[in-house]
Amino acid sequence: MLLPELLRLAAAEESGPDVGKLIGQFAQYGVVGLVVVLLILGVIVPKYVMTSLTADRDKWREAFEKEREAHQATREQLAKAEERGDVAVEQGKTLTHLLEELGHRPVLPGSA
């Protein structure tokens, strides 16, 4: 007998949605849900992850700079070696020309 009366009172109290309650729940749980989704997607990252990424980036940048300097030194050494080779070729041509002028004939390999 008391049960139908309680059901009627409960139905009368909940006749429509309580907008303030819905907004409060959304503000409470929606912000937390948004932060969780952003963490999962990687839009926001924890500080320890960002610190690790920054340290890793700095390490690779330093390695790149050292490698670039090493390549520059190699290019400089190759330029010097090429210059020395050009000088040796010119000296050889000059010596060959001088010997030909003095009457010596060059001996070519395989001509004997």
Side-chain angles (χ1 to χ4, degrees):
M1 305 330 147
L2 193 55
L3 188 60
E5 175 106 8
L6 288 174
L7 289 175
R8 188 180 59 77
L9 286 174
E13 287 180 9
E14 295 186 20
S15 61
D18 186 8
V19 177
K21 187 175 180 181
L22 287 175
I23 292 174
Q25 285 180 346
F26 178 75
Q28 184 179 10
Y29 300 116
V31 173
V32 173
L34 180 66
V35 168
V36 169
V37 168
L38 291 176
L39 278 170
I40 290 172
L41 294 177
V43 175
I44 57 175
V45 293
K47 182 177 170 101
Y48 70 91
V49 173
M50 184 58 85
T51 305
S52 173
L53 288 173
T54 305
D56 192 42
R57 180 201 64 195
D58 292 341
K59 181 182 78 171
W60 281 107
R61 183 176 304 238
E62 182 181 339
F64 170 75
E65 293 294 331
K66 286 181 181 178
E67 188 70 20
R68 187 168 67 176
E69 290 172 4
H71 280 287
Q72 181 61 31
T74 302
R75 283 191 291 273
E76 290 171 1
Q77 289 175 354
L78 286 174
K80 287 179 184 177
E82 184 178 352
E83 184 180 323
R84 289 180 188 135
D86 292 343
V87 168
V89 167
E90 287 299 318
Q91 286 176 347
K93 286 179 182 179
T94 304
L95 184 60
T96 303
H97 182 68
L98 179 64
L99 287 173
E100 286 176 352
E101 290 292 322
L102 292 174
H104 295 282
R105 295 222 173 239
V107 178
L108 300 175
S111 64

